[in-house]
Amino acid sequence: MKGQLKASTPAEYLAQLDEPRKSEVAALDALIRKTAPKLVPFIHIGILAYGPWHYKYASGREGDGFRIGVASNQNYISLYICAGDEKDYVAERHKAALPKAKIGRSCVRFKRLSDLDQTALVKLIRDGARNPGKA
C-alpha cells in the first residue's frame, strides 16, 4: 500500500508530509476526529487510522484493521472506509454524492479535499463510523 510512512503517532505522520498535502491531510484528520470522535486515532500499517477493529472470517482467519484510514499517496489522497454490511460497502453507497472522487469498495481517492462536497463527505464518515467493520 502506498502512502505508508514510518510514523508511530498521527502527529508524526502529518509532520512527515510536505505542503500542500500536509494541510489537506491535516484538515481531513480534523474532520474525521470531529465527525467520529469515538474512533480512536492511531497508526496502522504506516497510515493514519481511526477505530481499531479486530476481524475474523468464517474460515477462521483473523487480524486487526481500522474502521477509517487516510493515506497520502503520490498523486492523490486515499480515504479508506472499511465498513459495510452483507449487501454492500459504505464507500460505494456514496459514489453519486462524490463525483470528483474515484470510489472502490472501501476506498475514496481524490486530489484535493475541496473537490469533495463537504456535506456528503461528513455523511460518508458518519456512515463509516456507525456501520460494522468489513474487510
Side-chain angles (χ1 to χ4, degrees), residues 65-127:
F66 51 85
R67 301 287 290 282
I68 296 175
V70 176
S72 176
N73 296 294
Q74 184 176 350
N75 296 316
Y76 52 84
I77 297 169
S78 294
L79 172 63
Y80 299 97
I81 306 291
C82 303
D85 54 30
E86 61 281 341
K87 294 180 192 174
D88 61 5
Y89 290 82
V90 167
E92 291 177 323
R93 295 178 199 162
H94 294 268
K95 199 171 196 171
L98 300 166
K100 289 191 175 184
K102 287 182 123 181
I103 300 178
R105 284 184 171 175
S106 297
C107 186
V108 178
R109 290 180 199 89
F110 56 93
K111 292 197 180 266
R112 289 173 297 285
L113 199 53
S114 61
D115 288 342
L116 304 180
D117 177 280
Q118 296 301 295
T119 302
L121 183 58
V122 166
K123 286 179 184 176
L124 169 64
I125 293 167
R126 278 196 188 124
D127 201 9

Side-chain angles (χ1 to χ4, degrees), residues 22-39:
K22 183 179 195 172
S23 296
E24 295 276 329
V25 174
L28 182 56
D29 172 62
L31 181 64
I32 293 168
R33 289 174 188 241
K34 179 181 177 186
T35 306
K38 292 183 180 180
L39 296 183

